[in-house]
Amino acid sequence: MMNNFTFQFRRIWTLLAILIAGLITTPIYAQSSITVSGTVTAQEDASTLPGVSVIIKNNTQGTTTDIGGKYSIKTTVGAILIFRSVGYGSREVTVTGATLNIALSTRLNSLNEVVVIGYGTTTKQNITTSVAKVDPKNVPQAANNSVGQLLFGRAPGLQVTQASTQPGGNINLSIRGRGNPLYVVDGVIFPGDGLEPGNGSIAGETNGVSRGGLAGINPSDIESIEVLKDAAAAIYGVNAANGVILITTKKGKAGRMNVTYNGSYSFEKNYPYLQPLNATQYETLYNQITKDQTNAAPKYSAADIANAGAGTNWLNQVFQTGSINNHMVNINGGTDKTTYYLSGGYYDEVGTLKGAGLTKVTGRANLSFNLAKFLTLNTNFTGNSNKYLNSSSGGQTGGSGSQGFGIIQAALGYPANVPVRDANGNYSQFGVITNPVSFQDIQDQTNYHSLSANVSADVKFIPQVLTGHVLFGDNYESATRNFFVPSTVYYYQQNISRASLNYNNRENQTVEATLSFKKSLAKIVNIDAVAGFGQYKSTYSSFGSQGQGGQDAIGTTNLAQEASNLGITSSQTANKLRSYFARGTFDFVDRYLLTLTYRYDGYSLFFPDNKYASFPSVSIGWKINNESFMKNITFIDQLKLRASIGTTGQTLAGTAAYGGYSADGNITYFNNGAASYVTLSRYGVDQPDLQWQKTTNKNIGLDFGFFKDRINGSIDFFKDDINNLLGYYSAAPLSYLSTEPFNGGHQTRTGYDIGINTHNLKVKNFEWNTNINISHYVYKWVERFKYDNINHTYQSDTDPVNEIYYFKTSGILQAGQAVPLSQPTAGGANLPGAPIFVDVNKDNKLDGNDVFKLNPDPKLSIGFGNDFHYKQFDLSIFFYGQFGGTGTNYNNAWGDLSSIASGTQGGTVQALNAYTSANTSGTRPGVNYIESAAGLLVGSDLNLVSTNFVRCRNLTLGYTFNSAFVNRFTKSLRVFADAQNLFIITNYKGVDPEVYNTGVKGGYAPYPMMRTFSFGVKAGF
């Protein structure tokens, strides 16, 4: 692996040396009159830019670029040329030779910047709702394979967390803390969750693969991402309660053909992980804690301990240096009749955990045909094939203990004094845990395919006034998981082969028709209106088969040959939505804005009387800067006050409103076994009164721009009222079912978002820009459900929804110390080494009056970035993080002394901080304390930790070449180096404060966070 990296590294830097040599050897021209010529391109995609103004500074002489982006101008060496174009930032460049190629970057936060909204577009100066825009061109993409990876800290109000860092792993997006949003790609609704089959029940504890959604989209194909945070989402009605993310892909541009190649090579190194005890530490600690527990004789002699050394580093046996090859080619261009954007991508990642990887191949064709003056046909086709190598990182998905450990759990569970193989060359065995190295013999692969087709037509009934749009979109996905455990692997306490094949597919269709009207009336009011209807169909099916005991050589090729535990499963679901919607925007005298939207949605899985619901919204805006009393205040470019209120809805997955029966797994026999019947049990009862959950979004905001837009941004304050909550909750006492779907309850979410962009400095050859965003929210109950069991001694009806309740501890109980009367007596809580619980009211009891509580949600989420440009060099650095959050560090379970003493795991160095009779100053509980057996009303604070962190997401250095030598071969050329997840600042002592963690038997072991170092080139032809 390292040899391959070394070769790649040398090859890249050899190329750089050749190019730099070409730059250095470019002829230097004397201070005399020369003709300068070149090509002006867009920095993001290397497309040529026609109509760019090229003028000589302090001179009236100038020219413009032609349709191919070329220009020619007569000037002198040392003169400064200024390049300007609408929508792009201007550049001033000193003339040093006869050839001068320029790449212009998109101008940030221009008042005329186009913003995509529901069923249309607007401009930044005319928007009346809270919408955040992310331009992927400003985000390094060398090591990214998904949409979510582009968004860490990039938009105010959008929380992005890394649920799984495995290749293709899930990234959770949440707008203002609401949860998974609705995704709309080029007008077509896409599912936001991953499609990942399980592996049946044959080895069900390794089912846990956390994949991300939108797996068929190449991030390099995305033009823009808009985040609809408030009433802007109301026009999408159903399932828009969590907000909406609109994704627009790149389209062709009329003009000469442009070919762009973007390629990079990356290597990945894991962050420091949990540190297991070495062999000497393990044997010493094991002797000590078994003595403290049962006064047992030492298992390991002094000689054993002296000779133990470091032992086997099991994590090194399963971790490795990862790598990424990422290559992308796109072709775009066209005429006034046809435009095209074609792309192909190849992404190959070797994970930092052995057995983990992703190979992704994508292709896209976006075509547009002007068939007549009044008719345009648009087609978008995307194909994708992903091959995942699945690793069993994380934790068990069932209730098993150490016999169900995954690969990283096993590496933490095996003591360092156990070798990889025994004296006979077989895999060594510790307890019932699978040998970590033998996990690499398991075959676990998922093949994912998707095909998205989007065909639309635009009809101009009255040019620039009345247009129609008809769209049909279909997104089809399928995934097959091939899983095989050979008999040589001891798993789940058996040496027996196990095999399963599981297949899932789903299809999402969008059919819409809209009519748009745009008109300016007597220069008093500009009207922009749209009305339409749509139908949205979703289907899902799955099929699986499994067996065990077959020959290893057969694998999964013929499951009928398995000896036992044969099983077949299948399922199918379908639902349909029908919608009618309208939006009208009115701009009065370029000062007062009004937007009205309405949506009427019907859902097939509700009973007829509750099938349809309405979702209206209204928003207003006041362009204060356009008032007459502001005309002499020249430093204000924009000052707009806006407010909105709207309603969005949410359904419940599955057939919740309709009850039914299913097989319960039992068989009843009659007539001495001559007849058999499968028994059925009720899984749900009809719920004819079940209704839509509705959220009322309220928002007030201020958009501003000062000093020629050098300081610009927005501030928003919001409140969400979630009424008629829809979900599965505790049923009435003595009900046949423990939970049922209900409407009820009321929650609120309040907070603010701030986004600020500054152009700090722009001089002759240097430019410096900064952007920062800050988000905050509080999520609370207003009214609980009818059957919620609330202990009002310490719980309030209006507590935060995610509130944590706990007993506070104060030190460790020492030998000979008087045991407080409030101390529990079960679970070893009254023995030396137990934590001392705080009796708040000094009544000698530990009860609800002694419970503390806290809101674990972060108080602030931030993103902060700086971009620097000096001549042809560019440097950017971006951070994101959170403050004021609290979480449970489940990784502490790996330092649990009782698990080490029972021989179920080897332990980590956290165990050295625990109390023992030889370490009475230890700050963690001793071997005799078992909290789960202490009978506590709530948990303790022993594992509650701050989740505050600041992470350097990207540090990128680039150089754009501008020399005659290079221009012989390319139209534009940029080389770059990027470091992703370079470092983190945190006091968190677990694996990572951001990566998903949960409690399982033994301990959770997530895929590690890693640093990625990339070297790449972007060339235009």
Side-chain angles (χ1 to χ4, degrees), residues 191 193-197 211 215-216 382-388 445-452 474-481 502-508 539-543:
D193 58 331
L195 182 67
E196 180 59 45
R211 298 287 183 218
T382 305
N384 163 252
S385 177
N386 293 355
K387 177 183 176 182
Y388 298 102
Q445 176 179 309
T446 299
N447 291 313
Y448 167 93
H449 304 278
S450 70
L451 179 63
S452 177
D474 184 277
N475 182 57
Y476 179 83
E477 302 169 271
S478 67
T480 303
R481 186 171 179 181
N502 290 272
Y503 172 80
N504 292 1
N505 74 72
R506 65 185 177 191
E507 187 172 11
N508 295 81
T539 60
Y540 170 86
S541 66
S542 67
F543 179 85

Side-chain angles (χ1 to χ4, degrees), residues 233-246:
I235 197 168
Y236 288 101
V238 58
N239 293 331
N242 293 342
V244 179
I245 292 182
L246 303 179

Side-chain angles (χ1 to χ4, degrees), residues 726-796:
L726 179 61
Y728 285 91
Y729 301 98
S730 298
L734 302 180
S735 293
Y736 172 74
L737 301 170
S738 59
T739 62
E740 292 184 65
F742 281 115
N743 288 114
H746 179 193
Q747 298 170 345
T748 63
R749 191 181 288 106
T750 58
Y752 57 82
D753 309 327
I754 302 173
I756 300 174
N757 304 280
T758 63
H759 304 284
N760 306 317
L761 188 62
K762 187 173 184 180
V763 293
K764 182 177 178 181
N765 291 312
F766 181 76
E767 186 175 351
W768 171 28
N769 302 314
T770 297
N771 63 84
I772 184 171
N773 63 77
I774 301 172
S775 306
H776 164 78
Y777 71 89
V778 177
Y779 183 29
K780 299 181 68 175
W781 284 101
V782 175
E783 180 185 347
R784 302 274 186 161
F785 279 89
K786 181 177 181 180
Y787 299 115
D788 276 357
N789 185 18
I790 301 297
N791 187 330
H792 286 96
T793 306
Y794 61 91
Q795 289 179 291
S796 167

